[in-house]
Amino acid sequence: LNDPASFEAARALAARITGEPGAGQTTRSRAAFGLKLVLSRDALPAEVDRLVALFEGERAHYQASAGAAADVVGPVTDGAATPERAAWTIVANVLLNLDETVTKE
């Protein structure tokens, strides 16, 4: 699920996570919002903790490598901070690749 079309879906999900009013302004609220969008259920605290840790690690990585962040984000028209949007794109990609997302029982 890392082909260009799937990654474009992750970019779109990242834009929703960072741009919709219901997402909130904190990393925790945005992570919980992303899980709710993808899984159609409330997030467990441990799930949010893991996503926050992933986001923070990816943001640090992309703050150190602006070129890599630009590659992940692609063209940005809404003025979003590139390292932050790149990190949210990776988080969104992980959400879209979860077994619970892909497999419906």
Side-chain angles (χ1 to χ4, degrees):
L1 294 173
N2 290 317
D3 65 34
S6 295
F7 207 72
E8 188 59 34
R11 286 181 180 136
L13 179 56
R16 285 191 70 186
I17 290 171
T18 59
E20 286 194 15
Q25 297 298 312
T26 68
T27 303
R28 289 191 69 75
S29 66
R30 288 177 173 178
F33 181 74
L35 272 161
K36 179 91 172 188
L37 284 174
V38 173
L39 301 179
S40 299
R41 64 167 177 82
D42 291 329
L44 300 173
E47 293 170 327
V48 175
D49 292 343
R50 285 190 294 265
L51 287 178
V52 167
L54 173 63
F55 170 78
E56 290 172 351
E58 292 298 313
R59 182 177 56 189
H61 167 73
Y62 290 118
Q63 284 173 333
S65 180
D71 289 343
V72 169
V73 173
V76 176
T77 59
D78 62 3
T82 302
E84 182 171 318
R85 179 63 66 84
W88 280 117
T89 300
I90 298 303
V91 170
N93 194 44
V94 166
L95 289 172
L96 292 172
N97 280 288
L98 292 173
D99 185 55
E100 189 173 350
T101 304
V102 178
T103 305
K104 304 293 181 194
E105 293 183 14

